[in-house]
Amino acid sequence: MNQKHRTHINGIISRLRLIWAALTSRTDGVMAEAVAYLDRLGHVYSGVCGNIDPLSFLSDILHTVLGSSTEPDVIRQLPDVADLIFTDSSHTYEATRQEIKIYSRKLSPSGVLVMHDSIKWPGVRRAIQDVASRFDLMTFATSKGNGITVIMRK
């Protein structure tokens, strides 16, 4: 059977998001893996490992990398190309701008970069606005007003 391979990269901490990442990777007819880099602030929280341990049943598709989203060592451990990248930024302008630069380069031709907190946090909003002319963007409000922005290649 000729199956397409899909890769997701998720910058996430909560167990619910880890499960979402792994289960959305299990799509009929698609070989997929989810890679999570955890801890957007660069500190290893005790809760992070507690979120991962109960998910060992997903170890065939869920691989984790601990560290900050912009650390060179973390970036080296992530796949070169991904179809879906979700990042919950540090919310500062500089870090978010750097994440967009790094992760937009990892997108497959039809891949998307999803930025969380793109409405509520001024640093995230400003970084997205700065690159808006180079990408197609869709911004959605969420129930708590945080918002997400989907960034796609033109």
Side-chain angles (χ1 to χ4, degrees):
M1 178 187 285
N2 187 8
Q3 294 182 320
K4 180 179 177 186
H5 183 86
R6 190 177 345 197
T7 300
H8 301 174
I9 298 175
N10 299 274
I12 49 184
I13 292 177
S14 75
R15 183 177 303 163
L16 180 60
R17 287 191 187 164
L18 282 169
I19 292 171
W20 171 83
L23 294 181
T24 57
S25 295
R26 287 195 170 167
T27 307
D28 289 339
V30 176
M31 296 293 295
E33 81 179 299
V35 179
Y37 67 81
L38 301 174
D39 190 5
R40 64 179 182 254
L41 300 177
H43 308 294
V44 178
Y45 297 110
S46 60
V48 170
C49 292
N51 285 336
I52 297 167
D53 291 343
L55 302 178
S56 61
F57 69 97
L58 297 172
S59 63
D60 60 324
I61 59 168
L62 180 62
H63 311 283
T64 57
V65 178
L66 293 176
S68 173
S69 63
T70 57
E71 278 179 26
D73 188 50
V74 168
I75 295 162
R76 276 191 296 275
Q77 295 179 64
L78 298 175
D80 292 333
V81 178
D83 300 296
L84 170 66
I85 302 174
F86 178 93
T87 184
D88 190 355
S89 177
S90 69
H91 305 126
T92 66
Y93 167 76
E94 288 300 329
T96 304
R97 180 82 190 247
Q98 191 174 8
E99 285 176 336
I100 293 170
K101 180 180 178 181
I102 292 166
Y103 292 104
S104 65
R105 292 177 180 165
K106 290 185 169 289
L107 291 176
S108 68
S110 60
V112 296
L113 171 60
V114 180
M115 304 295 296
H116 189 252
D117 296 328
S118 61
I119 293 175
K120 185 176 183 179
W121 291 90
V124 179
R125 267 197 327 268
R126 183 175 157 216
I128 291 169
Q129 289 169 350
D130 281 358
V131 301
S133 65
R134 297 192 333 244
F135 298 97
D136 287 330
L137 306 174
M138 291 189 296
T139 299
F140 302 91
T142 55
S143 61
K144 294 182 181 178
N146 296 336
I148 60 166
T149 296
V150 179
I151 300 174
M152 301 158 287
R153 295 175 190 232
K154 285 193 173 207

